[in-house]
Every structure is written in structure tokens, then in C-alpha cells.
Amino acid sequence: MELGMKTEKLDIIKKLWEASLNQEETTELIVPDTQPDIDRIISADARVLLKSKEADTGRATVKSSVVATVIYCDGNGDFYSLETNIPVTVSSENPDILPDCMMICHMEATSADAVAANSRKMIVRVSLKTEIRCYNYEYINLCRGFDEEVKGTYIHESSVEKLVQTQVTEKTFLVSDDLKIPSDAPAVGEVLNANVRICDVEHTVTGEKLVIRGKYESEICYVPESGERAVIKNFSTEFSQLVDIEAGSEDVFCDVDIMMTNCYVDFHSYSQEDESRVIALEIHGVAQCAVFEKKSVPYVDDAYSVSGTLSLTSEEIPTAEYRQYSYSEMTFSGEIPCQAEVGEIFKISAFPGEIEYMENDGKISVYVQAVIFDREWQSYVVRGTVYGSADIAEHTSVSFASIDVSGEISDGKISVSGRAVLKMCDVHTETLTVINGAALEAPETEEQRPSVTIYRVRENDSLWGICKRFRSDCEGLKTANGIDGEDALEPGYILLIPKG
């Protein structure tokens, strides 16, 4: 006989689908008539600006604009730049995706390079990595008992602390800063490139406020007003934001992802008397937040019957799927041969390469690109690979949270050293096993059992477990032995167990 069950709903947010996609975008850049021919490509950078994200039946779509900037020099060694906006659309298909479901996405440029096709045209290539997560409201049916009282059938209620996803929210924000060129540096004539990236993002929860802190690191390459060689200056702009969250408990965990949606860089002088220059930076961003709460979840976890055989069915249901991050520091070093007679390193950059997992750590390659000036102040680009290792296990994904590199000139080589912080991500799933069905099969004949059983309590015995084993009524057992609860069940204690 199937038994009807009373249920109580637990509202959660369920992850419907997750995808990690890699792609490459290629475009042509034509040198305008106002600029000279290409002699050498110096560097290429790209930043991603999120434009929109939307979900339809079976499909999630992210649209962005990739701003790629290429610096090149002409035959005289003067620097020029070209910029292009590459519209990018990334889609992920899965039947679990629902219309208008909530989305969190992250897209980043993992590499950018350019080659000259001829003196007036270059080919730009950008590699992109996109992560998409889709969520929707869901509920879990928790058994709270049977629809009708079944004689001789007993249920056991319990509660468990579980991490439950309760919200997906986002907030757009604006950060602006005046980047002041120091007095010992030449004034700005023309900004060639502004490479801006987000780093050191941290967050804490205070009440129903999520406090997000981080900084934008800006590398500004410009041609001085005096017409001297190009100059690179680095700046750091801190920001903080408050995001409202609906927190019903004090134990709250959040997963935060920030993307730029627009970035403007300009410069101006305050007056003719003031020769300093100020580079104006304005960044638009969006903070995407998944909110998880620790909740005490009450539910029926067991049942038995003294009037027949009670069969229970159960299932394991996910209550939250969350990302857990850890960090590991890594140093790297090596030498890069240089054919030109190096006079000065103008710019040196490092990019993460492949990770080779070994028994106790990982061997990680780091691609290094250096822009150098020779003794005649002609510019050249030198590329090479150096290696480092870090104490990491095999994780779901590993990325570079930050990377710093420096180089020294020695005997026709560039000695490279640097430090990186690796960000490791593991995906964890919280589950809850719930009873979702019960059937009672009555015996053909009355079972012959003694009216009273004598039992000596053993280590780790529980009142419920003893009653279920001997198919007795818990309240009747307590009355027969004059006990109030579990505290009386010490090992060696003698119980009189009445027939249920």
C-alpha cells in the first residue's frame, strides 16, 4: 500500500547549466592615410567589455566587444597605435536552459598578437575564454510525515545544516580616477594604449550588504609632448562597492565575478602654466554575485512500522553548487636570447602558459615578451618561455590572479625573473538525501513476538535505533523505563522494550 506523504517546500536557486568555451577571433587592421607605414609590430593588447547576456529556450548567449590595440613603429623608430573593436557573440546550447533564467558570465582575453601582412595592413588575433552559468528558481519537497495517521507507524524528524543557494544578483557601477603623471616624467603628447585589468578582488558580508573591494591596474603607454621616445607608466585605482543581498541568516557565502562594460581613457592639461598632464580614466563595470546561506533544514530522515514492512525510497538532491578558491604563490625565472645589442628594456610582459601536473606540484610555463631598444634606440620585440613550479594539486581550473615580471640585460640575453599568484578553483556540490516515497506491506499472519524484551544498551545506541530494531513505540519505551531522552542511554543500561 502506497502511503501519501505530507511535504514542505524548501526554496533554492538551482544551477541549470555551466559551460567553459574557448575561441579565437581574427580581424584586419588597415593603417590610415594619416599614419606612416609599418616597419615592426611592437605589442598587442586586448580587453573585453561585456555588452549583454540573455537566455532563451535551450540557448544562452553572451555578447561583448573586444577592444584590441596594436602598437607599431615606422622606419624612423617612432611609435604609433591602431585600435579596433571586435564584436563577439558566444552561445552555449543545452536543453536545460530556460527562457529568462539568471546568468553569470565571464569573458577574458587570454592572449593577443598581431603580424604585419604588408606595410599598410596587419592581422590581429585574440584568444578568448568564456564561462557561462545559468540559474533558475527551484524548490525541494521535504517529507514531513504521512497524509493520514497509520497505526503502528513511526517517523523520525531531524535537521541538518546545509549550504543553500538563495540569490543571484548584480550591480552596475562606475569608477573614475585622474592618473597624474609624476613631475620627473615627460608630459603626455598622445596616449598610445591603456591596458586596464581588474585584480585583487575581495568581498565580505555585513548584514544584508555585500562589500566588494578591488583595484584596477592601468599600464599607460604614451608619446611625450616633447616628441621623445614612448614612455610607460603604471597606475593603481582602488574601488569598493556595496551590493544589497537578501540574507536570512548570519552564515552567508558569496561568489563574485566582475567584468568591465566600458572603459574610457583621455588626457588634458589644467592650464598653460601647469605643464603636468592628467590622464582621465573612467571604467564601467558590473558585479555579478551568487549568494549562498547556511540553513537549518528540518526533514523526515527515517520511518518504520510495527504492523508490517515499511519500504522507503529516497533521493539525493543538490542544494547548492559553489566554487571554492585557493591561492598559491609561484616564482619563475629563465633567460631569453637576444640577437640585438640591447640598450634598454622598454616593456616586459608575462602571460600564463600550460600547466603540467606532477606528483606533488605543477610545472608552469610563462610566455615572456620584451620590447627593447638597441644602442641606436631602434625598437625590437623579443619573445621566449621561462618556467616555474607551484605546490598545487589537480583542480577544476587554474588561472593567474596576478603576475609580475622583471628583466635584466646580461651578455646578449635577458635574464627574466618574476612572481605570480595562482588562483585555483574547485567546484563543490552540497546535497541532501530526502525520503520521497513509502509503501506499507502488511504481514500475512500476525508476527509472534514477546510482549517485553530485555536489552542492554551498547556504545553508540540511540533511542530511535533501538525502537526501530525491536519495532517498538518510542513513547511506550520511555514510559516503561522512566526515561526522558537520549541522555539516559548509557552503555550497559538495561531497558525493558515493550512490543509495539
Side-chain angles (χ1 to χ4, degrees):
M1 176 180 68
E2 294 289 334
L3 300 181
M5 306 184 71
K6 291 187 294 187
T7 59
E8 181 178 293
K9 292 180 179 179
L10 173 65
D11 292 324
I12 66 170
I13 287 179
K14 180 182 178 182
K15 189 174 79 173
L16 303 175
W17 174 246
E18 179 176 16
S20 181
L21 308 168
N22 295 291
Q23 69 186 76
E24 191 173 270
E25 296 290 333
T26 303
T27 189
E28 292 184 351
L29 262 177
I30 305 298
V31 178
D33 295 338
T34 55
Q35 292 185 197
D37 289 350
I38 303 167
D39 184 69
R40 292 183 298 278
I41 302 291
I42 299 300
S43 66
D45 291 307
R47 63 177 180 265
V48 180
L49 305 177
L50 177 65
K51 295 305 179 183
S52 68
K53 50 186 179 177
E54 58 185 24
D56 204 343
T57 302
R59 178 189 292 268
T61 303
V62 177
K63 294 182 179 181
S64 67
S65 175
V66 178
V67 181
T69 305
V70 180
I71 297 177
Y72 75 94
C73 67
D74 63 6
N76 297 321
D78 294 328
F79 281 19
Y80 297 86
S81 67
L82 293 176
E83 184 177 281
T84 183
N85 284 292
I86 308 172
V88 176
T89 299
V90 179
S91 293
S92 178
E93 296 185 0
N94 187 275
D96 292 335
I97 300 173
L98 300 175
D100 301 322
C101 66
M102 297 166 284
M103 290 176 58
I104 291 179
C105 65
H106 182 83
M107 183 184 292
E108 63 179 344
T110 55
S111 67
D113 60 29
V115 294
N118 54 50
S119 62
R120 304 300 296 175
K121 182 172 74 173
M122 60 182 72
I123 308 299
V124 182
R125 182 177 58 198
V126 180
S127 296
L128 299 168
K129 180 180 180 180
T130 306
E131 293 182 348
I132 303 173
R133 305 196 296 275
C134 299
Y135 302 87
N136 200 32
Y137 292 104
E138 189 68 88
Y139 63 84
I140 298 173
N141 278 324
L142 302 176
C143 174
R144 301 310 307 274
F146 302 115
D147 285 339
E148 298 179 0
E149 184 177 348
V150 181
K151 185 178 179 180
T153 299
Y154 305 96
I155 63 173
H156 184 263
E157 291 189 352
S158 183
S159 65
V160 63
E161 292 289 323
K162 282 294 178 183
L163 195 64
V164 178
Q165 185 167 355
T166 57
Q167 190 179 4
V168 173
T169 186
E170 64 181 44
K171 181 183 179 180
T172 57
F173 62 93
L174 168 66
V175 175
S176 61
D177 193 13
D178 285 339
L179 311 179
K180 297 182 180 180
I181 302 297
S183 58
D184 60 349
V188 179
E190 179 187 359
V191 174
L192 295 174
N193 183 31
N195 188 14
V196 182
R197 67 187 186 97
I198 306 169
C199 61
D200 297 344
V201 177
E202 299 178 342
H203 60 272
T204 56
V205 177
T206 304
E208 293 194 342
K209 297 289 185 181
L210 172 63
V211 184
I212 303 173
R213 295 182 177 88
K215 64 182 179 180
Y216 289 102
E217 288 190 345
S218 308
E219 181 188 77
I220 308 296
C221 180
Y222 69 93
V223 175
E225 191 177 41
S226 59
E228 301 173 16
R229 291 181 294 109
V231 175
I232 290 179
K233 292 296 176 184
N234 293 286
F235 303 89
S236 180
T237 302
E238 295 184 351
F239 68 88
S240 63
Q241 289 293 315
L242 291 178
V243 180
D244 293 324
I245 59 175
E246 299 172 1
S249 66
E250 296 182 356
D251 197 351
V252 180
F253 163 75
C254 295
D255 187 0
V256 178
D257 196 293
I258 295 179
M259 279 203 68
M260 288 190 292
T261 57
N262 250 320
C263 182
Y264 303 99
V265 179
D266 201 357
F267 75 95
H268 58 275
S269 60
Y270 285 118
S271 67
Q272 291 183 351
E273 290 76 26
D274 184 2
E275 294 183 357
S276 66
R277 293 293 185 267
V278 174
I279 298 175
L281 177 69
E282 182 178 294
I283 300 170
H284 298 249
V286 58
Q288 307 166 94
C289 313
V291 182
F292 304 83
E293 295 183 52
K294 204 77 169 182
K295 288 189 173 185
S296 180
V297 181
Y299 68 107
V300 171
D301 66 348
D302 202 2
Y304 71 92
S305 176
V306 300
S307 59
T309 301
L310 184 64
S311 300
L312 302 175
T313 58
S314 62
E315 65 176 322
E316 192 175 59
I317 298 176
T319 61
E321 189 171 299
Y322 63 97
R323 296 166 173 242
Q324 193 169 41
Y325 299 99
S326 57
Y327 296 86
S328 178
E329 290 192 1
M330 180 192 79
T331 58
F332 56 89
S333 61
E335 292 184 337
I336 300 176
C338 183
Q339 294 180 352
E341 186 178 357
V342 182
E344 178 184 310
I345 298 175
F346 170 67
K347 174 184 177 180
I348 185 167
S349 306
F351 308 93
E354 298 296 325
I355 297 176
E356 179 184 347
Y357 290 104
M358 293 178 282
E359 184 176 353
N360 296 317
D361 59 8
K363 181 181 179 182
I364 302 173
S365 60
V366 179
Y367 303 126
V368 177
Q369 175 177 290
V371 180
I372 63 173
F373 289 108
D374 64 12
R375 302 293 185 186
E376 303 298 324
W377 298 114
Q378 291 294 309
S379 58
Y380 296 88
V381 179
V382 179
R383 297 180 177 88
T385 303
V386 297
Y387 296 91
S389 62
D391 183 15
I392 58 174
E394 194 161 357
H395 295 267
T396 303
S397 66
V398 179
S399 59
F400 280 60
S402 64
I403 187 166
D404 297 306
V405 62
S406 61
E408 293 183 358
I409 304 166
S410 176
D411 298 330
K413 297 178 181 178
I414 300 177
S415 297
V416 176
S417 62
R419 172 186 168 275
V421 176
L422 299 175
K423 182 179 181 180
M424 294 159 287
C425 172
D426 291 302
V427 178
H428 298 270
T429 302
E430 288 272 335
T431 61
L432 178 66
T433 301
V434 300
I435 294 173
N436 61 2
L440 179 63
E441 183 180 344
E444 295 180 0
T445 59
E446 177 67 20
E447 182 179 355
Q448 299 298 314
R449 291 187 290 124
S451 59
V452 176
T453 301
I454 298 175
Y455 178 74
R456 184 185 297 273
V457 177
R458 301 171 184 173
E459 191 76 32
N460 298 323
D461 271 343
S462 67
L463 186 63
W464 171 263
I466 293 171
C467 291
K468 182 178 179 181
R469 187 188 313 166
F470 293 97
R471 298 171 67 189
S472 179
D473 173 30
C474 285
E475 294 303 319
L477 188 148
K478 290 180 183 180
T479 301
N481 292 274
I483 61 177
D484 293 329
E486 300 282 353
D487 293 341
L489 297 182
E490 296 182 1
Y493 192 91
I494 302 296
L495 290 178
L496 300 178
I497 304 175
K499 181 179 180 181

